[in-house]
Amino acid sequence: MKADILLGLQWGDEGKGKIVDVLARDYDVVARFQGGPNAGHTLEFDGRKHVLRSIPSGIFGGGGSTITNIIGNGVVLDPVLFRDEAQALEAEGIDLRGILKISKKAHLILPTHRRLDAANERAKGSSKIGTTGKGIGPTYTDKVARRGLRVGDILSDDFGARYSAIRDSHLEQLEAAGMPVAGTKDFVDAEQDWFDAIDYLRNFDLIDSEHYVNKALDNNNSILCEGAQGTMLDVDFGSYPYVTSSNTITAGACTGLGLAPGRIGKVYGIFKAYCTRVGSGPFPTELFDETGATIRAIGHEYGAVTGRERRCGWLDLVALRYAVMIDGATHLIMMKSDVLDDFDEIMVCTAYQLPDGTVTSDFPYSAGDNAEGAGVCEPIYTKFPGWKTKLSGIRNYDELPQAFKDYVSFIEKEVGVPVALVSVGPDRTETIVRSL
Ligand code: GDP
Ligand code: IMO
Ligand code: MG
């Protein structure tokens, strides 16, 4: 048995939560492999809406039988946010402790990490990244600097002392940055809350998840690996430095779960019928006009975690092709198709014109290098007539309007991978499966 992966091909918020939930029915295990509570994955079914941040989107089993969910070693976990999220689900009657396992090798987000995130952003001034403020960058920094605290460490006797040593070095950094917090009531309370949340975390099954997932595959159990963020936010291949601090790509599922490349099966690459981005950085097809505002309004394009306005623009096939190449996507999943229902014309970017006049269809070294995202790339568009049809009630691909199918065919031809599933609304049922 091989592990399949579902990951974002754009700048995040493609609809990963919805589709992991839809696909979960066919899997025994769902495993998150990177990111942390910077993620906000939305699931809608039975008239209810859930936003998951650290907990995998397989906890409802797609409405089928109960399945196992894993928070992998590549994830960074904030015990306080995790406890709040878990308790809210437990209050709804979900037996989370019975279905969720957490890697001992996942790194812990400390109270100081979130404050360092804010200090780093302040120091960057107008070139700030626009992070989610959840301490993601500083936590991964400590991981790579080989001084991080891991979930498994909470089981050791010297956990308190190790915590204090790291906390003290962070406090010095905050002091030097002109944002001292040592001794403040706010910080003392935050630390107490953090240790209370660590106690709550001890109630969960803390495991060597690399052994668990590999044995699960050996025993013919199926696994779906759930990505967070998106390929264009990958720390190596995204629009650096306006990226997150983890590998969001297919390779990230290997390192974030301990799966060898040969154990990977299908790679479901998910994208919106248009593009959005939240935070700073280049976005070549961004629309600053009425059309962008219309997409935002119809698509409810506001951050699931921070409530920030998402920047909106047309579908960018240069970036999409690049993401498909980096991820080796075998199947495409197109989301939020219904948002474009009423548009007279729909534009798709097929190439960029660079400042020296050359035209390229390969994503360049830099697509713009300032926080405002002013592109050094001028998008070249192909125009499509809108389908002017309400898609949300349609469940069969053949019944979709021809103009919509032409749009899909064009994307498939340009990117070279088939669209296996089309989403026409936020609800679990508003889904058209072609060939998974
Ligand atoms: P994720 O981070 O990739 O899981 O995506 P988010 O949950 O942050 O953002 C996707 C948003 O679009 C959520 O509010 C979903 O409920 C919503 N959504 C997902 N699929 C569709 C769709 O096909 N149509 C519409 N209109 N909304 C969708
Ligand atoms: P999901 O999983 C969209 C963006 C932030 C910022 C940059 C770095 O819901 O798709 P960070 O806090 O990670 O250091 O911020 O990455 N970002 C996301 N954008 N969806 C996400 O997650 C994101 N997680 C981080 O806005 O630009
Ligand atoms: Mg999201």
Side-chain angles (χ1 to χ4, degrees), residues 332-361:
L332 294 179
I333 293 181
M334 187 164 106
M335 306 300 290
K336 303 195 87 155
S337 316
D338 53 301
V339 173
L340 302 183
D341 280 357
D342 294 327
F343 284 70
D344 295 326
E345 285 175 347
I346 293 165
M347 311 286 262
V348 183
C349 167
T350 53
Y352 296 156
Q353 179 160 26
L354 302 177
D356 66 2
T358 49
V359 170
T360 179
S361 53

Side-chain angles (χ1 to χ4, degrees), residues 43-66:
L43 286 64
E44 284 192 38
F45 53 86
D46 300 340
R48 284 184 305 159
K49 180 170 163 175
H50 296 273
V51 179
L52 301 174
R53 300 160 94 178
S54 302
I55 294 173
S57 302
I59 51 163
F60 300 102
S65 56
T66 306

Side-chain angles (χ1 to χ4, degrees), residues 11 117 120-121 124 126-132 137 231-246 277-282 311 363-373:
W11 281 278
D117 195 349
N120 292 343
E121 284 285 86
K124 281 178 181 284
S126 63
S127 57
K128 73 178 167 111
I129 292 165
T131 72
T132 59
T231 301
M232 302 314 290
L233 288 170
D234 179 82
V235 66
D236 280 278
F237 297 104
S239 45
Y240 192 89
Y242 301 99
V243 293
T244 191
S245 297
S246 64
R277 169 161 208 170
V278 57
S280 324
R311 299 154 63 192
F363 195 79
Y365 175 71
S366 171
D369 56 8
N370 62 11
E372 286 74 42

